[in-house]
Amino acid sequence: MNAQTAQVDDLRLLAVPSAVNCTDLFVRFALAEWSLRPLVPEAVEVANQIVTAAVDVADPNSPGFITIRLRLTGECLVIEVEDDPLGEAPQLAYQRSGVEYLRDGRRMVWCQLGLPTGVKANEVPLPRREKKRSYVSEDETAEVDPEVISRLLTGLNRSTEQ
């Protein structure tokens, strides 16, 4: 895990059952965006296993947060899940996996999956995102008619009273 990180994406969720489905979607989307579709089945399985273990031990009346992080580094994809250290950490059937206890009292369960043969993290074609342009000129200021706003507010208040 000492190689330089070429790309990282994360998602923070409550430790509730729907977090497993959100994790599944997050991993699928990120790997599709990174052109790493061959890793999807294994990465989804690993991430879901770790998140399920965190959700299973979470207090349903006061769930904590889970952070799911995907990192491309060196010749591998690193899946990291930070959670509150309740219960035992899941045992993963991967040589390159482990558990770290962080300074802030949280726990990070991680697993490395090898990238497809011959692919290195810095060679993965990552999406190019451009800053979104506004359709309104920045120096334009909109004139707001107080009478129009008053009518809108009156209409909205009537709809909530019915």
Side-chain angles (χ1 to χ4, degrees):
M1 293 202 320
N2 294 334
Q4 183 176 1
T5 298
Q7 178 73 353
V8 66
D9 209 348
D10 61 14
L11 178 66
R12 188 168 184 181
L13 301 168
L14 279 175
V16 295
S18 62
V20 178
N21 291 336
C22 292
T23 298
D24 188 292
L25 292 170
F26 169 69
V27 171
R28 289 176 189 280
F29 177 78
L31 294 183
E33 213 178 28
W34 296 349
S35 302
L36 292 173
R37 290 181 196 268
L39 291 178
V40 168
E42 189 174 22
V44 164
E45 180 182 330
V46 169
N48 285 350
Q49 183 180 354
I50 300 170
V51 170
T52 298
V55 168
D56 287 348
V57 298
D59 179 357
N61 297 321
S62 180
F65 285 99
I66 301 171
T67 302
I68 300 98
R69 184 174 303 107
L70 301 176
R71 287 190 308 115
L72 286 175
T73 181
E75 296 178 0
C76 62
L77 168 70
V78 182
I79 301 168
E80 301 172 343
V81 177
E82 289 183 29
D83 67 347
D84 294 323
L86 304 172
E88 293 293 318
Q91 297 296 317
L92 301 173
Y94 292 87
Q95 280 187 304
R96 297 184 300 176
S97 63
V99 178
E100 294 178 25
Y101 291 89
L102 307 174
R103 289 185 192 159
D104 63 359
R106 294 182 48 86
R107 169 179 64 196
M108 183 175 63
V109 180
W110 59 271
C111 182
Q112 291 181 355
L113 302 178
L115 293 176
T117 305
V119 176
K120 292 186 177 13
N122 59 357
E123 297 169 350
V124 172
L126 302 174
R128 301 279 183 233
R129 295 190 179 129
E130 295 177 11
K131 185 177 178 182
K132 292 189 178 186
R133 303 177 102 191
S134 173
Y135 293 110
V136 179
S137 173
E138 290 179 9
D139 59 335
E140 287 183 29
T141 56
E143 291 291 325
V144 178
D145 184 352
E147 187 177 322
V148 172
I149 297 298
S150 177
R151 288 193 321 232
L152 282 169
L153 290 174
T154 302
L156 289 171
N157 285 334
R158 283 188 197 147
S159 68
T160 58
E161 292 170 359
Q162 297 175 359

